[in-house]
Amino acid sequence: MTRDGEDMRILIVEDERAIAEVEKAYIERDGYSAEIAADGLEGIGKFREKQFDLVILDLMLPGMSGIDVCREIRRSAPIIMVTAKSGEDDIVAGLDAGADDYIVKPFSPRILMARIRANLRKSGTAEDSASELIRVGDALVIDPQNLTVKKNGEEVSLTRNEFMILSKM
């Protein structure tokens, strides 16, 4: 799949190599480009180096927890947590940290792909979205391209979901 002539890029942050390879195979079979990071620090490094349209993120990672990784990148791309942690507190913590979706292992690769497509559609990444600034009165400026909101010139910290709700108003 492409957007503006470029491959849609997905970052997989997963320390279990076999799971990461299955995810990558399905993602690439669906026409997306995928890269794997084996721990949280590597994931953040790759994320900062390159632009990704979506992140698949495990919660239990060496080096840095998935929650910390999620908090670090949450406004830049949709995040789907794929993890063995199935407790209600774990799910709430993941979503509250900024994840857009949460899938419990073991999972169906077909369901993962459906969730990827749905999150890309919701984020507007799957199709061309307007990159013009949205101005609300004199005080509020919404930048859909960079996923930022400024109020009176100062950036407002929002989760991706909060940003998407605000930008659709």
Side-chain angles (χ1 to χ4, degrees), residues 2-46:
T2 61
R3 177 190 51 165
D4 296 333
E6 296 179 15
D7 284 340
M8 297 289 285
R9 300 171 51 92
I10 298 175
L11 176 62
I12 302 163
V13 186
E14 170 66 63
D15 62 322
E16 293 184 47
R17 190 71 182 176
I19 291 173
E21 290 296 338
V22 166
E23 291 170 343
K24 185 175 190 224
Y26 273 84
I27 288 166
E28 290 178 344
R29 191 176 84 184
D30 231 34
Y32 303 104
S33 174
E35 286 189 40
I36 297 171
D39 62 51
L41 294 173
E42 180 186 0
I44 287 179
K46 282 189 176 195

Side-chain angles (χ1 to χ4, degrees), residues 75 123 129-135 141-149 160 163-164 167-168:
R75 288 184 299 159
S123 73
S129 29
S131 60
E132 294 182 28
L133 297 178
I134 300 167
R135 297 185 187 278
V141 178
I142 303 168
D143 183 349
Q145 181 71 28
N146 295 310
L147 303 175
T148 58
V149 175
R160 181 165 187 80
F163 177 86
M164 296 314 294
S167 67
K168 301 289 185 206

Side-chain angles (χ1 to χ4, degrees), residues 2-162:
T2 61
R3 177 190 51 165
D4 296 333
E6 296 179 15
D7 284 340
M8 297 289 285
R9 300 171 51 92
I10 298 175
L11 176 62
I12 302 163
V13 186
E14 170 66 63
D15 62 322
E16 293 184 47
R17 190 71 182 176
I19 291 173
E21 290 296 338
V22 166
E23 291 170 343
K24 185 175 190 224
Y26 273 84
I27 288 166
E28 290 178 344
R29 191 176 84 184
D30 231 34
Y32 303 104
S33 174
E35 286 189 40
I36 297 171
D39 62 51
L41 294 173
E42 180 186 0
I44 287 179
K46 282 189 176 195
F47 191 82
R48 287 180 178 159
E49 282 176 25
K50 303 174 183 175
Q51 180 181 350
F52 289 94
D53 298 293
L54 186 133
V55 177
I56 305 295
L57 178 62
D58 189 8
L59 262 181
M60 298 179 290
L61 295 167
M64 181 180 212
S65 78
I67 292 289
D68 291 336
V69 173
C70 187
R71 286 185 180 127
E72 184 76 24
I73 65 174
R74 70 181 177 198
R75 288 184 299 159
S76 302
I79 299 168
I80 301 175
M81 286 196 171
V82 179
T83 181
K85 292 193 156 231
S86 61
E88 183 177 331
D89 289 341
D90 297 315
I91 295 169
V92 169
L95 294 171
D96 283 348
D100 298 281
D101 207 342
Y102 196 102
I103 300 174
V104 177
K105 294 176 187 174
F107 62 93
S108 159
R110 290 181 60 219
I111 290 174
L112 173 64
M113 292 313 304
R115 298 267 182 98
I116 287 171
R117 290 188 299 271
N119 276 279
L120 289 172
R121 276 193 311 273
K122 280 193 302 187
S123 73
T125 307
E127 52 200 52
D128 291 335
S129 29
S131 60
E132 294 182 28
L133 297 178
I134 300 167
R135 297 185 187 278
V136 181
D138 293 332
L140 196 63
V141 178
I142 303 168
D143 183 349
Q145 181 71 28
N146 295 310
L147 303 175
T148 58
V149 175
K150 291 186 179 180
K151 182 178 178 186
N152 296 322
E154 292 187 34
E155 190 166 328
V156 178
S157 178
L158 298 174
T159 66
R160 181 165 187 80
N161 285 339
E162 290 167 338

